[in-house]
Amino acid sequence: MQLERDDLLKMYRLMLLARLLDERTWQLNRQGKAPFVISCQGHEAAQVGAAYALKPGKDWVVPYYRDLAVMLTIGFTPLDHMLGLLGRADDPNSGGRQMPSHYSHRKLNIVTHSSPTGSQVPHASGIGLAIKMRGDDAVVWTSFGEGTSSQGDVHEAMNLAGVYNLPVIFFCENNGYAISVPQKKQMGIENVADRAAGYGFPGVVVDGTDVIQVYEATAAAVERARRGEGPTLIEAKCLRLTAHSSDDNERTYRSPDELKAIRSQDPITRFTDYLMVEGILDEASQKRIREEVMAQINEATVMAERAPLPDPATLERHVYAEHEA
Amino acid sequence: MQLERDDLLKMYRLMLLARLLDERTWQLNRQGKAPFVISCQGHEAAQVGAAYALKPGKDWVVPYYRDLAVMLTIGFTPLDHMLGLLGRADDPNSGGRQMPSHYSHRKLNIVTHSSPTGSQVPHASGIGLAIKMRGDDAVVWTSFGEGTSSQGDVHEAMNLAGVYNLPVIFFCENNGYAISVPQKKQMGIENVADRAAGYGFPGVVVDGTDVIQVYEATAAAVERARRGEGPTLIEAKCLRLTAHSSDDNERTYRSPDELKAIRSQDPITRFTDYLMVEGILDEASQKRIREEVMAQINEATVMAERAPLPDPATLERHVYAEHEA
Amino acid sequence: MPEMNLLEAIRAGIDEMMAADERVYIIGEDVGKRGGVFRVTEGLVDKYGEMRVIDSPLAESIIVGSSIGAAMYGMRPIAEIQFADFIFPAFNQIVSEAARIRYRSNGAWDVPMVIRAPFGGGIHGALYHSQSVEAFFAHVPGLKVVVPSTPYDAKGLIKASIEDPDPVLFFEHKKLYRLIKGQVPEEDYRVPIGVADVKREGSDMTVLSYGLTLHQSLEAAEQLSAEGVEVEVVDLRTLRPLDKETILNSVRKTGKVLIAYEDNRFLGYGAELAAIISEEVFEHLDGPIMRVAGADVPAMPFSPPLEEAFMPSTEKIAAAMRELAGY
Amino acid sequence: MPEMNLLEAIRAGIDEMMAADERVYIIGEDVGKRGGVFRVTEGLVDKYGEMRVIDSPLAESIIVGSSIGAAMYGMRPIAEIQFADFIFPAFNQIVSEAARIRYRSNGAWDVPMVIRAPFGGGIHGALYHSQSVEAFFAHVPGLKVVVPSTPYDAKGLIKASIEDPDPVLFFEHKKLYRLIKGQVPEEDYRVPIGVADVKREGSDMTVLSYGLTLHQSLEAAEQLSAEGVEVEVVDLRTLRPLDKETILNSVRKTGKVLIAYEDNRFLGYGAELAAIISEEVFEHLDGPIMRVAGADVPAMPFSPPLEEAFMPSTEKIAAAMRELAGY
Ligand SMILES: Cc1ncc(C[n+]2csc(CCOP(=O)(O)OP(=O)(O)O)c2C)c(N)n1
Ligand SMILES: Cc1ncc(C[n+]2csc(CCOP(=O)(O)OP(=O)(O)O)c2C)c(N)n1
Ligand SMILES: [Mg+2]
Ligand SMILES: [Mg+2]
């Protein structure tokens, strides 16, 4: 699919929504209302670009905790996110059971994931296997950080996908850090994408601050997978614009210079500038979109804060299927 | 080190010893004396070639169950092997505790390994790390089958070695099968060695039926590691000339044609022919070596059969260190 | 009614479920042409093809992890772990993932899958081909753990497990595979998960067991009967969820309990049985709760004298019964 | 004598051992500049350098697996698992390898290493940052399992663990890290592995515990004392090898036992305590062996009302004490 003007504006709005919603969660954290926040800031272009190439509700998404912008692109609402952040009973991810940003939405084919990094990736290969067994037309997309690529599970999952040419897109969001551990202590190579050759499918490096480039690479991988030609590993070079999470203090391991330098590569600024230059966005429309997005976020915040917490009597529910035969 | 005539004869003798000793274990199995046999037949050239490039007692060896010829090259005796085969008290591997061919010899720096495939490979990387921390001159060599390369542990171990440029030689003995599962169901690629690029070090494919080629590749990797330049992955294309083990029936998954075809590539025949053509071996010396080897094997068999079984009273020993402070 | 051994009964149950439900498939090492190293899946690849009887790569975490994904997609995987000893590389996928997916998604997702694995010793399998691993999994809420000990139960339980909406660990004692034969009806039937079975009635003491030690207990009970002591032998069949009522009722009746299992004694499955009994029917107890179990060494050795020293046996169980009868 | 919290005591113990023995090194995620996510290793990388305080790749199996190799080579690794919940990818390395290397080599090889991991809940950590995992490991012969609950014990036990010739799992309740302060001598000392400690004497009942529930039990014991019931509280400190004598002596004295632990009840560590007591000192028991433990759900949820419902507490323990006192 060729991206139209409208698509670009949608993508812009999604990126902005993700950013501003994310900023709101930090505010709530500082106010003591949200005990834990983990951010997508700096990954918005990569995430929107990738998710925009998927068919929501048809394709399958096996994300990780940093994927707020992916969720919003697939159909999650700001309220959905806020309910999870505040651990409310109606949180669609888990009813307040999981930590914030542990996404799940059955109707949207967004698969529940956990905290142990990388353990979601084998599930994506299994879904790919099931798609192939059934002869369905869907593809499955899964994501993980570059640090997580060190886990054995990621290797095993890519290997299986390579054997059966499964319709899986492996999306590595490389922001150069696993909490405090820099990439050079994580692996002896520059590009995670180079590993794909060891599994028999293509690996592609894209600039994760360029939403259009990421979209195009992902769209190509999706088409390849739908044609039955097998998996692709896409590595998006991203920035982590915040601390790892609200429990982290990145100043212990990132220099002030570095923190300053990454600010200048903000993917939102980059895309805004591009749309302005192309005449797709102007000051007025920019302001209007921002206001609409903020209104959504404000409403979501209010509603989520008012929403009830889970009833402690539900603690023992859903350990096993209920009302069994 | 350039291989001299004497080296070639030593290697020949080792390969022959491994083969004939291995054949003896099958005889004992058929006689009901050895409940379990697993074979090195078809891997002798790869194993002797590789192990000959190591310094016994100085370098560290982290083998797997198929490595009888490696053991003999490093310094294991036929009696050592027989004692393990028959589960005798003086088995140097384990005092009769482990299954046969689960090697260990502390004085020879042959590290104890277990049955779960691939779990030894992280140990090799850890030994490599310790060598580097201590500034020692040793290298560590570890081996595994191509099927085992699918395990997450193998990935994690190679990745660590790549990060710290550890003095580790990863030796993959690719015989095309993991029990009954052919390579094409194990991985989407031709050469396991191609994975090394994903860890930032060289990967080399060698003909595992050519002892000299394997020796040279391993010697180069050992030198590289000793110079502090880091790991190498060597993949030796081997043949499995027997069933996976005495519990297997390979006719359920290998055709008679295939079984016939591999016979014609026997590494021992190949090396014998080479040595004859080069004038290093003749009919007489061949016969003499064979007789000497058979005498050794016969003696080992008799001694092992006479050796006592473990005392059941020792069952609870060595769970924890004994005579603790 | 045909006679079958344990292994054939399991195969028949799987075969019938695969014929009836296209979503059911098998994945594991050597399960295809080789039919599994114990031959449990023999012939199934010819019947159902290579995409329903999948020879997986040699990597247990992806065997289980991919099955979890497929189950969430709507399939009904049967994952085979070649030996229970090799289940540990998949431990994270089983305990962190399969067991928690329903709970963590507040009931939105489920993982209807079976993980089959042969366990247990006495076959010269040494440290890594002999283990009992059920205690690790029976501790985990969200998992079900089944151990059949007769062909009839095995077929009925494997079918119930494949149909179950939750992840089931199905452990088969490998020494029983060909040892135990029994009548297995041709008609479709199930043995429900979560229901224990009194395999022998008796009034003097209760023995709780499963697997090989269940059969040893039954043999020992015969010996004791000849000595005038009537032992009730309860086959747990399911370790999680536990059929507490059957057990507690038996203890209320007999007042004495012996627990027999092959796993290492310390924190083995029998520990929980003792804890429940000493908490819930304390006032009915006429003597200590005794256990016969595997030695507390890492796992059973290869060499016959050591293996024998490790293993529970009919004799060891009968000796414990006599001691308990003395109270 | 300086006052320290639990975390500082552990750090001091590690620091002293690293200063004294060059073979000791740390490996784990974020243990270097970041000083660990809980700051236990803060400052050590500056003192000992990046090759003795190693920021590992994000892969628990290689953290443990490489440590096993290094230990066999002669080093004394301290492997940190960032949260106990993330120990499962390393399960095979711990259970199949570390635990068995001495045994399977008939004593030729050893694995002197420590695996440290923060465990436990009550910190809004949800399903994967709150778990108690000690039961899985306490079941395994060849491993030692230590859980310190006071700063004094923590420093003495970490030093003993680093010196121990066998693999030690060292679990630190993360809610106690900064909560519990105490006097810690500057002189060199050890607290031996395998020795329990009576933290409070009493004649009416015995409470067995460790970790956060130990402190809750001590608080509850104060309440009961005000009500005229004197509770003896035993801090197990080491879960494997277990100090059976201290426990059995206490039970012989009081005749009543309550076991408190935060892990899921079913087959949690307390099960073995109940089993041993009901087998070995049955005749001294004056009432059922009771347990207060975490709920049998996969792990504790995030949202405060659910987390609270899951967790044992001083109130829940005091209530159980009152019930038991009634027997
Ligand atoms: C198995 C496991 N080990 C450790 C952690 C703790 N942890 C959470 S996120 C993280 C770093 C992840 O880095 P990366 O994969 O690069 O993703 P990023 O956060 O940078 O997007 C770590 C170590 C975990 N969640 N799971
Ligand atoms: C973790 C684990 N899973 C399964 C097995 C059973 N098993 C033993 S050897 C083997 C095949 C190994 O194949 P490969 O790595 O190619 O080595 P080869 O035997 O061909 O030399 C399997 C599946 C095992 N020992 N460990
Ligand atoms: Mg990262
Ligand atoms: Mg092979």
Side-chain angles (χ1 to χ4, degrees), chain B residues 43 64-66 144-148 172-179 181 186 240 244, chain C residues 58:
Chain B
H43 290 232
Y64 83 121
Y65 51 78
R66 217 171 276 295
F144 49 89
E146 87 294 343
T148 297
C172 179
E173 304 183 24
N174 184 346
N175 57 17
Y177 285 95
I179 308 186
V181 180
Q186 196 71 241
R240 204 186 77 199
H244 171 74
Chain C
L58 206 184

Side-chain angles (χ1 to χ4, degrees), chain A residues 64-66 115 117 145-148 175 177-178, chain D residues 29 60 82 86:
Chain A
Y64 84 120
Y65 52 77
R66 217 172 275 296
S115 307
T117 55
E146 87 294 342
T148 297
N175 59 17
Y177 284 95
Chain D
E29 294 150 12
E60 285 72 15
Q82 197 161 81
F86 305 142

Side-chain angles (χ1 to χ4, degrees), chain B residues 112 114 136 153 315 320-321, chain D residues 61 73 93 97 103-104 143 166:
Chain B
T112 170
S114 63
D136 290 348
D153 265 9
L315 177 73
Y320 298 100
Chain D
S61 191
Y73 191 82
Q93 284 292 339
E97 301 297 321
Y103 193 75
R104 79 183 185 218
L143 299 179
D166 284 299

